[in-house]
Each structure stands twice: as structure tokens, then as C-alpha cells.
Amino acid sequence: MQLKDITGIGEKTLSILEKHGITTIHGLLTHFPRTYRTYRSTDTRGAEVGEWVSLVGTLSRPVSHHTTHTTTQLSTFQDGSGRLTLRWFNSPFIVRSVSPSDTYLVRGQLTIFGSTRQIVSPQIKAVGSDYYPPENDEMVPIYPSLGMLKSGNLRKIIFSALESTPPLEDPLSPKIRLKHNLIDLDTAMHLIHRPPSRSLLEGAIHRFAFDELYTLQLESLQNSEINKIKTDPLHWNTGKLENWITNLPYTPTGAQSRVIGEILADLSKPIAMHRLLAGEVGSGKTLVAAAAIFASFHAGYQSLVMAPTQILAEQLYTSFKQLLGDTLAISLVTASSKGDVQADVVVGTQALLTPKHTFGKVGLVIVDEQHKFGVKQREYLSSLTPAPHVLMMTATPIPRTLAMTIFSNMDISRLDELPKNRLPIKTYLVGEEKRDRAFAWIKSEIVNNHNQAFVVVPLIEEAEDDEGNSKKSLKLLETDLKKRFPGLKIDIMHGKMKDTEKTEHLRAFRDGITQILVATSMVEVGIDIPGANIMVIEDSERFGLAQLHQLRGRVGRGSTQGHCLIFTGSDKPKVKERLTYFAKEINGEKLAMYDLDNRGPGELFGESQSGFFSLHFASIYDTALLKETYEAVRIHSI
């Protein structure tokens, strides 16, 4: 069966799915929910402000009210216990689609405006007068949007795919499933998309978390031979390298000097280096990589550098030009830049490793934050003669347990020291009552101290979260900021832009043309703007602490004080406790561990929670599960 055979997938939907890399039913089913919303089945009298509810009753015919920029549609919902207001924005079709004689199932979050109890942007569905609401709470999966395909559209076609496809074959043996108390894959797939209860959802999450870490462990075992690949040892002029380091505009930290020594020792051996360089945000991994490149060049070899995105490849290219440009030829090879593949250093994305490129004698390959460095890329590297040395870099803190299991086949270098002129970033938790005062301070910093600011928001547009969740949107926030900061240049950047657009907007920010860059969380990895020392994060409770830490690390990159303001409109005690902990703690591993220890039942980590690993369900800090999967892989491999 193919995607086109699934009910609800027409040519337009098929085209959108393919554009986002979903070409099979398996690919569709593994487009997992990013969270779940629990609707409590109740009546008007029993509904509490702030909770998501399911109600059954009748609606008055909606009436539209027009203002200069928007229209509001209002209807009165009524059941046997009382009434409340339903409110939509810019939805004139609602007026025509509601029949006062019908019974409706209404879902949404109950809020209060003045003295009026209301549900804003509710979901409504006509049901029969004999319809009875479910006795248990209903858990509804919320999916990451794919272009025009919003969560509701995806939910319909995923449910259809679940009903249409035969049971999934389980790659894990019954012996492993029994030993580790795992449900079978087909059951887990149904439960992850249509959980009847929180406890059953937990079982599905555990199964997929196990699978993620098991896969990492298995790949590690399969790659264990990589440390034994013979190659040519590199020999370079030590004096030239020492002179280059001496003439740097700053003195390397003790950690940088130590790690450079570890890497140089590897390069001089007849066994291909396979080393992971782990360093906190801003610890100076680029300088270490530049030293390795310098040695490779003076040994007569070419270096390849790969980044996960074009925008980060361009940034690395700029950094290496500043550090090495006087002595080495450096080129950029991306979709929009056809650089010289014979240059001393070639910087690009993972697409560099394809047979269409004919490089020189490659001595060193550097991979930056690239979790999708998979089998094909390793096969390509193994085809090169002699085998190149490989250095992988990540800002994800690597706990000791992880190093002993998943990275047992690699040597690990740690940059555990920040540059001496780097000041700790000051972090502030800002409630709604302090918003105006916070923005007044930001304006003063920008105008009087020539500072720049990132403003990060979770969603791109209000409609992206089509479940009625009215979070701050990037575009609405940009409009609000322009009103607050007349005369300042404000720009936006998000993942749906073309790479050329992102580069153009980022360059304007880097050059100081833009004072405020409103962006999605795509700025969390690698983007370095020395003039930006203010990071504002809207709806900060929606991010994992590790992701907040990555975002915070984008500022304070020079000798100037960095500031991070985390905004939240939530008054929940657990949210405030969690964000207060973040404001006080600067250690990335401790923050990740805190999130793991305090995760609630059924909560997901999110795709970017683990950076280098791109895990959706598991955590690299889950010591118990790491040990379980390590044991399972060893049994499986016997």
C-alpha cells in the first residue's frame, strides 16, 4: 500500500507530504505528536477556567462584529446546566455553518474575559441529539504542522493510515520485549497516536524511547571497527602551528590547548582519528577545529567541514576565513554557492559527501552538530584513500554514562572551560506584569548602548497551532515590537524561509542594520552574532530547559555582558519553579537532568531536546534506559 491509497490523501496533500520528506506510510506514521491535549468531558457548570473541556449542547446562530482590522464571531452555547460565550476571529463561515436546531460537541479552553466565561476559537462538531460524551477524558494528539497541513489535517490522515495498514513487523525479538517489559511495535504505534488513557500512552512512549536508544547503541556497536582503520599519519611544521596560535587575537583557554593537543596526537598516528569534541555553548570549538585544519593543511592534506544547515555552513565559512584566511584557500559549497571543491578547506552541508564532488587528498573531515551522519556518509568516507581523520563536534553535554555506552567506539574531548573574558549570562524570569518595564529596558540598551536583541517565539503564525491555542506568534509579535520600538529596525527569520532569505536576514542582523531579530528557535544551534547581547524568549515554558540553555548561549559571545529574559504568562507553580531553576543554573547537563527528573506522565521531550541526537521520546540523560538498551544490544548481537 502507498500513501496515495490512504483515505484523505489527494494529490495536493501527497505533494505537501513529499515536500517534507514523507514518501511512505511508515514515514507518515512516524510523524509523531509533539504533545497531547486532554479534554475533560463535563458540562457548563462543572467547567473550570483554564482547563480544556468537551461540552455537548446547542448554539445560537453566530453574529459577526466588525472592527477596522478584524471581525469577531460570537455565539452562545447552552446545555442543561448553563450558558457561556463562544468567540471566533476572522471566521465568517461560522455564521453560515451553525444551525441552532442541531446539537454540537464543543471543545476548547475555558477562559474568562471581564465577567464573561468564554471559549475562544472552539472546535465544533454537529452530533445527534442522542449523543453521549465519553466517560473518560479524551487525549488528542497535537502534531507539528507540515506547511499547509495543520495538526487537525494530519490527525485525520494518520488515523486513516492506522486503520488501513496491516500490523507492523516488530524488529525486536519476543525475548527482548519480554525481558524489558515492552509492548509490541504495532500496539505502540496505535497507542502513540490514539491513546485511550495516560497509563497506556506511557507504555507506548517507553517503547519508542527504548527503540531510539537501542538504535543508537546498535549503530555504536556496528561502528566499533572504525577505530581500527589504518591511514597515513599526518606530519606538519610544529613551529608554524605554534606561531599561528601565538598570533591569534586572543589566548586559547587551558581546555582548548589541552584538546588541541589530544587531536594533534591523533592526527600523527597511523590509525584514523574518530573523536567527538563536546563543549558547552560558547566554549570555543571552532578555534579547536581551525587548529586541526591548520595541521592538516601543512601536512599536505585537504579538510572538509560539514554543518547541519546552509546558514551554519556560511557562518563556519566566515569564522574559518577570519582564523585561517591569510594562509589557506577556503571555499563554500552549498545549494547557492558553488565553491571550489579543490580548495584547502571546503565548508558545506552534509551534501558534500556525494560522489559528484571530486576532492583532493582529504586528510580531515569535521562534522558539526550533525546527528544524521549516517551509513551512507560513513560508507563514502571509507571509500576515500587514505581514510580521513574524523572530528565530530557537539554543544550537547555528554554525561559519563552516555560516553561509556553509545560513544564507547569514540574518543571524547571535552571543552569544560569558557574563554576568560566571557561573563556569565544574566538570566531574568519576566512575568506579564513586568513586560512593559522589561521592554523599556531593552529599548534603552539598544538606543543608548548600541546593543542588539534576539526575540524568540515558538510559533510562526497564530493558525499554526490549530487547536485553538493562542500563543504569541512570530508575525504578531513583530507587529507589537514595531509599535513599542518606533525608529528601530526589526526583522524576522524562521525555518519556512528559503536558505537565501535566512542568510540575507541574518547578515543584516550581523552587520548591525537590524537591531531586533524576531525568530523561531532555529537560532538555537550555532548562530553567532557578537553584537547581540540580549535574548528574549517568549512563552518560555514551552521549551525544554536544554533548548532554553542553547538559546541563552547565543548572546554574551564577546567581552560584553549577555542578558537573557525568559517571558511567561503562566502562573502555575510548577512552571515558575522550573523557570526559576533555569534562571539560576548555567550548567547544561544539570538543566537537562532537571527536566528528566521532573517530567510529568505522558510528556514528550520534543525533537530538538537532545541537539546532536535528535531524539523525540528518549533522553540521553536517562541512565537506567541507557543501561537497558546497552544490555539488549549485546544480547541481540550474540
Side-chain angles (χ1 to χ4, degrees), residues 362-382:
V362 179
L364 175 66
V365 174
I366 296 175
V367 186
D368 186 25
E369 287 289 0
Q370 185 52 278
H371 54 268
K372 293 182 179 178
F373 188 74
V375 175
K376 290 184 179 179
Q377 287 72 37
R378 288 192 294 270
E379 288 177 350
Y380 180 84
L381 289 182
S382 64

Side-chain angles (χ1 to χ4, degrees), residues 255-263 266 273-281 283-292 320 365-370 390-398 407 410-417 612:
Q256 285 174 316
S257 297
R258 169 176 49 78
V259 170
I260 288 173
E262 292 171 353
I263 292 171
D266 282 353
M273 175 178 71
H274 194 57
R275 182 173 288 273
L276 176 68
L277 172 56
E280 273 280 9
V281 176
S283 58
K285 294 183 292 295
T286 304
L287 173 61
V288 173
F320 287 133
V365 174
I366 296 175
V367 186
D368 186 25
E369 287 289 0
Q370 185 52 278
V390 178
L391 176 66
M392 305 185 81
M393 303 194 298
T394 180
T396 302
I398 306 296
F407 290 121
M410 299 179 71
D411 295 310
I412 298 181
S413 291
R414 302 176 187 273
L415 286 175
D416 49 10
E417 180 182 356
F612 185 81

Side-chain angles (χ1 to χ4, degrees), residues 21-66:
I22 297 177
T23 58
T24 65
I25 292 176
H26 180 266
L28 177 63
L29 292 179
T30 52
H31 183 72
F32 293 117
R34 62 174 172 80
T35 189
Y36 298 85
R37 182 164 298 143
T38 301
Y39 291 94
R40 185 168 72 87
S41 183
T42 184
D43 58 18
T44 301
R45 181 185 301 167
E48 297 181 5
V49 173
E51 72 175 341
W52 296 86
V53 295
S54 290
L55 307 171
V56 178
T58 59
L59 277 63
S60 67
R61 188 174 300 281
V63 177
S64 282
H65 298 271
H66 299 267

Side-chain angles (χ1 to χ4, degrees), residues 124-136:
I124 62 172
K125 179 182 179 181
V127 294
S129 57
D130 57 349
Y131 175 84
Y132 287 95
E135 294 182 3
N136 298 322

Side-chain angles (χ1 to χ4, degrees), residues 133-151:
E135 294 182 3
N136 298 322
D137 293 346
E138 187 176 6
M139 299 185 68
V140 177
I142 310 298
Y143 295 91
S145 297
L146 298 176
M148 297 297 293
L149 286 179
K150 305 303 180 184
S151 180

Side-chain angles (χ1 to χ4, degrees), residues 315-385:
Q315 181 169 289
L316 278 174
Y317 168 76
T318 300
S319 297
F320 287 133
K321 287 284 284 186
Q322 293 171 347
L323 288 166
L324 301 164
D326 291 340
T327 55
L328 283 72
I330 304 173
S331 73
L332 178 65
V333 178
T334 65
S336 59
S337 178
K338 308 301 180 184
D340 179 12
V341 295
Q342 293 288 321
D344 303 321
V345 185
V346 183
V347 183
T349 62
Q350 186 174 267
L352 280 179
L353 296 190
T354 60
K356 72 176 182 179
H357 295 308
T358 304
F359 299 108
K361 190 165 61 169
V362 179
L364 175 66
V365 174
I366 296 175
V367 186
D368 186 25
E369 287 289 0
Q370 185 52 278
H371 54 268
K372 293 182 179 178
F373 188 74
V375 175
K376 290 184 179 179
Q377 287 72 37
R378 288 192 294 270
E379 288 177 350
Y380 180 84
L381 289 182
S382 64
S383 70
L384 297 177
T385 305

Side-chain angles (χ1 to χ4, degrees), residues 205-223:
I205 290 175
H206 179 68
R207 168 60 203 260
F208 284 111
F210 186 96
D211 285 0
E212 286 180 338
L213 293 184
Y214 181 89
T215 299
L216 286 177
Q217 302 273 16
L218 191 58
E219 287 181 353
S220 175
L221 184 65
Q222 292 169 345
N223 295 335

